[in-house]
Amino acid sequence: MRDDPTGKRALFESHAGALGEAEGKEALFADHGDVAIECSRCGRTTLVPWSDVVRRVLRLSVWIPGIHYSRRLRCPACDRRSWVRLRLL
């Protein structure tokens, strides 16, 4: 049987890896972008992946909507609890 990419075999082969896209469980846990955490205490902005932000928020955190630095959680730059601002990139 010959390897013909335009035949029946092409219907069942995955070409997502060639495009750089994740499949299956990898797609669930792949980083789909970064989040910028801006700290009010040290003034630094740090880019962190979604998985790290979720861990930080699920730990002990406080959220007050409507203010500039609306979340109180541990800053990745200074490693202290402070009021931070989360921005999606």
Side-chain angles (χ1 to χ4, degrees), residues 10-66:
L11 294 174
F12 300 103
E13 290 179 354
S14 173
H15 297 289
L19 299 175
E21 298 175 0
E23 292 183 16
K25 289 183 182 178
E26 292 176 3
L28 291 175
F29 298 105
D31 292 327
H32 296 289
D34 289 330
V35 178
I37 297 180
E38 182 182 343
C39 180
S40 65
R41 184 176 289 203
C42 67
R44 289 187 272 183
T45 301
T46 309
L47 294 177
V48 295
W50 273 101
S51 57
D52 190 31
V53 172
V54 169
R55 272 195 307 266
R56 289 175 189 277
V57 169
L58 289 179
R59 290 181 189 164
L60 186 61
S61 68
V62 177
W63 177 51
I64 301 176

Side-chain angles (χ1 to χ4, degrees), residues 2 4 6 16 27 43 49 56 58 62-63 74 76 89:
R2 40 177 248 224
D4 184 15
T6 59
R56 289 175 189 277
L58 289 179
V62 177
W63 177 51
R74 188 169 298 278
L89 299 178

